[in-house]
Amino acid sequence: MTNFSKIALAAAACLAIAAAPAKAQDSVKIGLILPMTGGQASTGKQIDNAIKLYMSQKGDTVAGKKVEVILKDDGAVPDNTKRIAQELIVNDKVNIVAGFGVTPAALAVAPLATEAKIPEIVMAAGASIITERSPYIVRTSFTLAQSSTIIGDWAAKNGIKKVATLTSDYAPGNDALNFFKQNFTAGGGQIVEEVKVPLQNPDFAPFLQRMKDSNPDAMFVFVPAGQGGNFMKQYAERGLTKIKVIGPGDVMDDDLLNGMGDAALGAVTALHYSADHNSQANKDFVAAYKKMFGQRPGFMAVGGYDGIHLIYEALKKTGGKTEGDALVEAMKGMKWESPRGPMSIDPDTRDVIHNEYIRKVEKKDGELYNVEFQTFESVKDPGKTKK
Ligand code: PHB
């Protein structure tokens, strides 16, 4: 064999070896784990919708890679989430896991993301601890500490002296309660009743009676997205409408707000997103979402929309490289204009930094909206443990 043909043969062999994995690497696979059934299904639906919307707007190819989303329903049960994540990582060889409708689901996957060295993009869950559980976790949702500290200060400064609290009895509910209490009592406020309700299928009635009996100026409420409608129904039926509702904005989720009726009017909450947010980016987002799905997006939809945006932009930055460390590095410090307003990823904590808005439920053209009236810019998560 001549030297030339030896080289040609060797080159052909190299090409053959290179061709097989190159084909597999032409796509980037995202394992999207969401509650599509059960009590948290509205969260799953909003995020799935928002991702479909984003990909219809931007196309399903980025940096030369075809984006493949594999959606799985975990029903917000963390044992399911873990098993599904394992299957997605081992069998489907996903490059990224994303979604996570509740904190326990996000936490269950943290050790798997660390072991597999792949990004875990948290698009819904809100307990502060989550991002500390794996260096591969990046969050585009929110934390309860961000909204609850802000509403705690606002309540103390706005003539509210006595508050009864009602919070879902799990990590984000406890964050909401503790951060609210910390700021509200520091400002001179007093907690006169404290009740915790179960996360699953809560019956609020017996708790509402205790709230009423404590005769507060306002009640601080945290229930996760999807439960606000049921809560407000029982609140109205039990005759509590004279007691003002305050809290993080989860209870006034845009998704359900219109169905709550006039009982919701006047509720003052703090959150990073309102469908009424006055920016061109949000008007475009709301209009496109309504056109595609026939309803208003809520804050969970925005967490999904920003989550997929973060993935697209990170892939652009790595030039299509899907290696986990490179993607997480690319995500750190990323800044963009979201429908919620300006946002970024804290390069130190991988957590979301965004504006918090204080809003009041008002009627506009016959529909209920959370109308923003005060802005706190670039709020970092106050719930990070000091290192
Ligand atoms: C959570 O489980 O972390 C969670 C879910 C829904 C919310 C807020 C927090 O609205």
Side-chain angles (χ1 to χ4, degrees), residues 203-353:
D203 174 13
F204 299 109
F207 302 107
L208 284 168
Q209 192 56 46
R210 273 172 58 192
M211 309 286 280
K212 197 173 175 181
D213 293 345
S214 71
N215 199 23
D217 300 325
M219 53 199 283
F220 172 87
V221 180
F222 167 75
V223 292
Q227 291 189 3
N230 186 25
F231 172 78
M232 288 305 289
K233 185 164 169 274
Q234 294 192 23
Y235 159 87
E237 280 170 4
R238 298 272 143 180
L240 273 83
T241 49
K242 287 207 170 56
I243 306 173
K244 189 182 188 69
V245 172
I246 62 171
D250 307 59
V251 63
M252 292 295 150
D253 186 1
D254 271 296
D255 201 31
L256 303 172
L257 186 59
N258 257 328
M260 292 179 194
D262 289 354
L265 282 171
V268 176
T269 57
L271 202 69
H272 57 285
Y273 181 70
S274 164
D276 189 53
H277 179 64
N278 189 10
S279 73
Q280 197 54 48
N282 185 50
K283 285 183 180 150
D284 293 346
F285 171 69
V286 172
Y289 190 99
K290 274 189 178 162
K291 188 164 172 220
M292 200 157 171
F293 305 107
Q295 69 198 70
R296 198 194 275 189
F299 64 99
M300 289 302 186
V302 175
Y305 197 73
D306 287 321
I308 189 75
H309 177 75
L310 178 69
I311 293 171
Y312 268 55
E313 290 303 310
L315 281 162
K316 284 185 195 166
K317 231 167 132 180
T318 64
K321 239 176 99 182
T322 52
E323 194 247 325
D325 288 283
L327 285 175
V328 171
E329 241 5 85
M331 289 173 184
K332 288 181 185 173
M334 191 91 84
K335 284 188 171 61
W336 67 98
E337 170 79 10
S338 153
R340 73 184 81 181
M343 75 179 277
S344 65
I345 300 298
D346 188 329
D348 299 325
T349 62
R350 290 159 279 100
D351 218 330
V352 57
I353 301 177

Side-chain angles (χ1 to χ4, degrees), residues 101-103 125-127 142 144 170 172 222 224-225 250 299-300:
V102 291
T103 289
F142 54 86
L144 274 309
Y170 75 128
F222 167 75
D250 307 59
F299 64 99
M300 289 302 186

Side-chain angles (χ1 to χ4, degrees), residues 40-334:
Q40 255 37 61
S42 68
T43 294
K45 196 78 209 131
Q46 287 194 50
I47 293 177
D48 180 38
N49 284 349
I51 291 176
K52 289 200 167 96
L53 172 63
Y54 187 90
M55 292 179 67
S56 79
Q57 292 170 329
K58 310 278 175 176
D60 63 359
T61 305
V62 61
K65 300 273 156 145
K66 185 155 168 60
V67 180
E68 214 182 301
V69 177
I70 306 173
L71 172 65
K72 299 279 178 187
D73 175 14
D74 68 352
V77 177
D79 284 347
N80 291 348
T81 324
K82 190 168 182 181
R83 177 182 45 76
I84 292 167
Q86 232 146 10
E87 288 167 4
L88 285 166
I89 293 168
V90 175
N91 301 341
D92 297 290
K93 311 230 170 341
V94 296
N95 306 100
I96 295 167
V97 282
F100 312 106
V102 291
T103 289
L107 294 177
V109 175
L112 304 181
T114 303
E115 200 188 311
K117 298 187 188 307
I118 61 170
E120 175 182 342
I121 310 302
V122 175
M123 298 173 166
S128 288
I129 186 77
I130 293 173
T131 47
E132 297 183 28
R133 288 291 176 86
S134 167
Y136 291 89
I137 294 180
V138 184
R139 169 156 40 200
T140 60
S141 45
F142 54 86
T143 75
L144 274 309
Q146 286 172 319
S147 47
S148 300
T149 46
I150 299 273
I151 199 69
D153 288 340
W154 181 86
K157 285 183 189 143
N158 285 274
I160 295 174
K161 305 230 174 311
K162 293 188 294 174
V163 165
T165 66
L166 179 145
T167 50
S168 286
D169 192 8
Y170 75 128
N174 294 332
D175 277 3
L177 173 64
N178 294 334
F179 284 97
F180 171 77
K181 236 170 35 180
Q182 171 195 293
N183 286 39
F184 180 58
T185 56
Q190 189 194 348
I191 306 291
V192 292
E193 179 64 278
E194 201 176 293
V195 300
K196 294 190 179 185
V197 299
L199 173 63
Q200 303 296 346
N201 308 313
D203 174 13
F204 299 109
F207 302 107
L208 284 168
Q209 192 56 46
R210 273 172 58 192
M211 309 286 280
K212 197 173 175 181
D213 293 345
S214 71
N215 199 23
D217 300 325
M219 53 199 283
F220 172 87
V221 180
F222 167 75
V223 292
Q227 291 189 3
N230 186 25
F231 172 78
M232 288 305 289
K233 185 164 169 274
Q234 294 192 23
Y235 159 87
E237 280 170 4
R238 298 272 143 180
L240 273 83
T241 49
K242 287 207 170 56
I243 306 173
K244 189 182 188 69
V245 172
I246 62 171
D250 307 59
V251 63
M252 292 295 150
D253 186 1
D254 271 296
D255 201 31
L256 303 172
L257 186 59
N258 257 328
M260 292 179 194
D262 289 354
L265 282 171
V268 176
T269 57
L271 202 69
H272 57 285
Y273 181 70
S274 164
D276 189 53
H277 179 64
N278 189 10
S279 73
Q280 197 54 48
N282 185 50
K283 285 183 180 150
D284 293 346
F285 171 69
V286 172
Y289 190 99
K290 274 189 178 162
K291 188 164 172 220
M292 200 157 171
F293 305 107
Q295 69 198 70
R296 198 194 275 189
F299 64 99
M300 289 302 186
V302 175
Y305 197 73
D306 287 321
I308 189 75
H309 177 75
L310 178 69
I311 293 171
Y312 268 55
E313 290 303 310
L315 281 162
K316 284 185 195 166
K317 231 167 132 180
T318 64
K321 239 176 99 182
T322 52
E323 194 247 325
D325 288 283
L327 285 175
V328 171
E329 241 5 85
M331 289 173 184
K332 288 181 185 173
M334 191 91 84

